[in-house]
Amino acid sequence: MPGYHLLITNMSYLVLARKWRPQTFGEVIGQSHVTRTLQNAIQQGRLAHALIFSGARGVGKTSIARIVSKAINCENGPSKEPCNKCGICKEITQGASVDVVEIDGASNRGIDEIRRLRETILFQPVRCRYKVYIIDEVHMLTREAFNALLKTLEEPPSHVYFMFATTEASKLPDTIRSRCQHYEFRLLTPKEIGEHLTRICQAENLGLEPQAIDLVAKAAQGSLRDSLSLLDQVVAFGAKTKDQISEALGLIPGDVIKNIVVAILNGDPKDAILTIDRVHRFGGDLQRLTHDMLYFLRDLLLFKELGVDGESLYSNPLYELQGVDEQLIDTAIISELIHMLSNALEAIKRSSTPRILLETIVIRMSRLKEIVKIDTVIDKLEGVLKSGQYTQTPPMALGTAIPGATNSSRSTVPTKTTPSQAPSDTPLKKVTPSTRPNVDHAPAREKDVQGFMEYLQNVSPPLWSILDRVKALEIDNGILRIFCNSSFQENRLKDPKCKKELEQHSTSYFGQKIALELNGSSASKAKDKKKVAKNAVSQRLSAREALKAHPLVKEAIKTFGAKVEDIKLFE
Ligand SMILES: [Zn+2]
């Protein structure tokens, strides 16, 4: 009868996680930093009486607590490894020892449970050398329970050991933590899990193909126990290949993730979108898919830097990463893709239409390369500007504002534009053929008004703040001309103390005796208008020349392959 056979199978079937639970320190996977320290402490008889084992679930915390219990109590010990043959070892392995007590902190979290525990602590062990209390999920205890426990931890009896296992050590009170030796367990890498699963599959004769094992190892996300539970499910489904497993467990095979990411890197959204559609139709979880894509990109980024040496860090098998064309792995682009996708992941988690979000982001990611190209151009232009060879002054003021580009002793800085400013005040009025830029022979920066303002900002901020608001400043053959905006400014600058200070600063900056010339707002306007009218035609012509010859314009023509069609002068 088939039912009978099935019953027998189930009865004899021990879940893999229990069957393959490590019984010695040597069998523990991936926590050698913990096991080595514990073994030394046991051997030297210096094991602390209260230990905290913290780390993610399924990484071996309670398994190691049991191994420690056996190692210190073994009839052939205490030793670096329990013998696992003596009566004590066997009892502890079976969970039948009266002296090794395992308590679930989540369901025994109150003060009464801890009080009862404290009463039993006083009695000597029945069969073992030491009494051991293993409290799992200890962070779940109430504050009162912790306080009760604290009193015991302050002076633990020499025949008692406490081992606290927790996934959230940060939730433990400092008073508890400070009285314990703390061991932090780490997540296992997919490679470590994969190797362990391979051994189990061989021993159990499960006949899984290597890529199928990789898929399970990756899905376990660092937890050995989870990987074994998944393997149990795989066995129950009778799945052997990666496709069967991905279907049975709703996992997305690594090569599917790789195909989507490569399509994005190739700027081919069509391929990526069609693959996402297939995953969706086969019941794949899109949140999971986004998560896996994110990790694939992260692996590529690390792979570029670490290569084969980083294998233990990757969440994808090395062969998947090696299968991506090296030229596609561009650090700048992948960093940006990771940024985009991690933002999208949060939105996808909350969204009722995750598919639309994922498709949109995938299209944008595929187009990123084009956007980056334009960014590169902009960066290049910004680099040109920042190099100091050219200034960022608007082209209209080119003729005067290029530091060091003039060969006359005259330079002018237009200050902030105010609504009251007359049109004739535009900096164009200062353009003359003699001030045309000549970058090929650019001398070191000349002492100009702009430099003087920077200097003044440092040596006398109050003076600087007055001058910063005037209409225009000019230095011309030892005369600093100030065109005021208001009578208020004028009066401030006329103040003898202020005037003297300004003369001193300008003299020390320009390295020659400087005289001040104050111009009221009305006076300057009249003067400017007269000046402009005189040379209007020739100045306009030279302004156009100056613009055309400006290095920034030339650079833009070169970079964009552009040509100058028209020059407009605004007045
Ligand atoms: Zn033993």
Side-chain angles (χ1 to χ4, degrees):
M1 199 168 68
Y4 183 69
H5 172 73
L6 189 68
L7 185 67
I8 295 292
T9 311
N10 280 349
M11 277 174 72
S12 63
Y13 185 76
L14 192 61
V15 291
L16 291 170
R18 272 187 66 195
K19 189 172 176 184
W20 286 85
R21 187 169 206 167
Q23 300 300 340
T24 64
F25 288 115
E27 286 172 14
V28 175
I29 310 284
Q31 311 293 352
S32 58
H33 62 295
V34 171
T35 52
R36 223 181 304 121
T37 319
L38 286 171
Q39 283 181 298
N40 287 337
I42 292 167
Q43 205 175 31
Q44 294 162 9
R46 297 174 62 181
L47 188 68
H49 280 262
L51 309 170
I52 294 175
F53 295 153
S54 72
R57 64 201 199 96
V59 293
K61 298 185 297 293
T62 47
S63 294
I64 286 188
R66 284 189 186 185
I67 296 170
V68 173
S69 310
K70 285 192 281 187
I72 57 177
N73 281 317
C74 177
E75 288 169 28
N76 300 311
S79 61
K80 279 177 101 169
E81 289 284 12
C83 75
N84 281 319
K85 291 191 176 81
C86 69
I88 298 277
C89 280
K90 281 181 177 165
E91 270 180 27
I92 297 175
T93 301
Q94 288 157 9
S97 170
V98 284
D99 296 317
V100 176
V101 184
E102 277 189 50
I103 301 161
D104 174 22
S107 50
N108 299 284
R109 56 196 300 266
I111 186 161
D112 293 338
E113 283 90 352
I114 298 299
R115 279 203 184 120
R116 272 200 293 280
L117 187 146
R118 282 178 57 194
E119 282 160 18
T120 64
I121 280 168
L122 299 173
F123 300 108
Q124 290 293 319
V126 180
R127 280 181 31 82
C128 291
R129 216 171 278 127
Y130 303 103
K131 280 191 148 179
V132 179
Y133 293 90
I134 301 170
I135 306 185
D136 202 9
E137 298 301 335
V138 69
H139 62 270
M140 301 290 279
L141 294 189
T142 62
R143 207 181 53 189
E144 292 76 18
F146 272 127
N147 284 338
L149 194 59
L150 193 59
K151 285 182 187 148
T152 312
L153 291 183
E154 275 164 357
E155 278 176 64
S158 59
H159 63 271
V160 173
Y161 282 93
F162 285 100
M163 295 179 208
F164 304 127
T166 176
T167 48
E168 292 175 76
S170 59
K171 285 189 178 167
L172 298 182
D174 288 341
T175 46
I176 297 281
R177 274 196 284 180
S178 63
R179 283 172 176 79
C180 300
Q181 219 165 58
H182 191 165
Y183 293 87
E184 286 175 276
F185 287 54
R186 66 174 183 83
L187 284 172
L188 276 75
T189 66
K191 187 167 181 266
E192 287 167 331
I193 295 178
E195 285 167 358
H196 189 57
L197 293 183
T198 304
R199 280 192 294 274
I200 293 176
C201 286
Q202 277 164 2
E204 300 277 334
N205 206 10
L206 298 179
L208 262 65
E209 64 175 32
Q211 288 188 337
I213 292 176
D214 287 340
L215 188 58
V216 175
K218 193 179 136 194
Q221 294 188 302
S223 165
L224 201 61
R225 188 171 63 221
D226 284 2
S227 78
L228 294 176
S229 309
L230 285 171
L231 198 56
D232 278 329
Q233 292 179 47
V234 166
V235 172
F237 277 113
K240 310 249 181 208
T241 67
K242 91 177 149 47
D243 289 336
Q244 288 167 344
I245 288 177
S246 67
E247 206 185 321
L249 302 183
L251 300 174
I252 303 154
D255 56 340
V256 172
I257 308 288
K258 186 185 86 184
N259 289 345
I260 296 175
V261 169
V262 167
I264 290 172
L265 292 176
N266 272 322
D268 180 11
K270 185 182 163 194
D271 232 24
I273 295 288
L274 290 177
T275 313
I276 290 171
D277 175 59
R278 273 198 297 279
V279 170
H280 189 62
R281 269 190 289 129
F282 282 98
D285 176 7
L286 293 185
Q287 190 179 315
R288 173 95 221 174
L289 175 66
T290 313
H291 175 273
D292 288 354
M293 284 164 62
L294 196 54
Y295 269 84
F296 198 90
L297 285 167
R298 170 259 190 194
D299 281 0
L300 282 182
L301 203 58
L302 294 190
F303 180 64
K304 182 166 185 175
E305 300 300 325
L306 305 174
V308 184
D309 295 340
E311 192 181 358
S312 63
L313 302 176
Y314 308 140
S315 46
N316 289 277
L318 199 57
Y319 59 82
E320 299 282 15
L321 303 175
Q322 284 167 331
V324 177
D325 185 356
E326 232 173 276
Q327 290 186 328
L328 287 177
I329 312 179
D330 180 304
T331 306
I333 289 179
I334 292 184
S335 313
E336 186 56 30
L337 291 177
I338 288 176
H339 180 68
M340 291 168 82
L341 199 58
S342 57
N343 285 342
L345 181 60
E346 287 309 306
I348 285 169
K349 276 181 192 168
R350 292 190 299 266
S351 173
S352 56
T353 51
R355 181 178 176 167
I356 298 175
L357 277 184
L358 183 58
E359 286 166 346
T360 313
I361 193 72
V362 161
I363 290 174
R364 280 179 52 206
M365 287 166 75
S366 308
R367 297 290 178 221
L368 182 70
K369 252 189 181 169
E370 295 158 29
I371 300 167
V372 169
K373 271 184 204 154
I374 294 169
D375 280 352
T376 314
V377 173
I378 292 169
D379 281 351
K380 207 173 153 192
L381 277 177
E382 277 178 352
V384 169
L385 288 169
K386 278 181 193 153
S387 69
Q389 204 176 0
Y390 321 119
T391 73
Q392 272 181 301
T393 312
M396 286 298 100
L398 295 180
T400 55
I402 296 163
T406 64
N407 52 14
S408 92
S409 65
R410 185 183 174 115
S411 74
T412 302
V413 166
T415 53
K416 283 173 194 158
T417 308
T418 58
S420 66
Q421 206 165 3
S424 59
D425 288 339
T426 55
L428 261 184
K429 69 179 187 279
K430 303 298 174 198
V431 177
T432 62
S434 64
T435 60
R436 207 179 302 162
N438 185 356
V439 285
D440 293 335
H441 303 96
R445 181 175 171 158
E446 219 172 82
K447 299 231 164 174
D448 58 9
V449 176
Q450 197 173 335
F452 173 62
M453 285 299 283
E454 284 164 17
Y455 168 79
L456 200 61
Q457 194 174 10
N458 285 322
V459 295
S460 174
L463 260 184
W464 169 81
S465 75
I466 301 172
L467 287 195
D468 189 47
R469 288 181 176 80
V470 301
K471 192 185 298 166
L473 271 181
E474 226 178 68
I475 183 78
D476 185 14
N477 288 329
I479 300 168
L480 181 64
R481 283 200 192 92
I482 305 169
F483 298 92
C484 297
N485 259 327
S486 65
S487 54
F488 173 75
Q489 278 174 354
E490 209 176 332
N491 291 336
R492 285 290 302 277
L493 291 167
K494 269 181 187 163
D495 175 69
K497 205 177 136 202
C498 188
K499 203 172 166 187
K500 196 179 161 201
E501 201 192 336
L502 187 55
E503 272 170 357
Q504 278 170 354
H505 286 313
S506 49
T507 300
S508 73
Y509 175 77
F510 289 105
Q512 56 166 309
K513 178 82 186 144
I514 298 290
L516 294 187
E517 187 189 300
L518 274 177
N519 296 280
S521 49
S522 53
S524 71
K525 263 182 213 160
K527 192 179 163 191
D528 289 346
K529 269 178 192 159
K530 208 170 115 196
K531 230 195 252 173
V532 170
K534 201 173 159 189
N535 281 320
V537 178
S538 65
Q539 277 175 1
R540 282 179 66 84
L541 281 173
S542 58
R544 293 169 76 98
E545 286 296 306
L547 264 180
K548 219 170 163 180
H550 189 269
L552 188 58
V553 175
K554 282 184 174 169
E555 180 69 24
I557 290 170
K558 202 173 93 191
T559 310
F560 291 109
K563 61 175 185 177
V564 177
E565 293 225 314
D566 189 19
I567 299 174
K568 279 188 181 146
L569 297 178
F570 298 97
E571 285 187 42

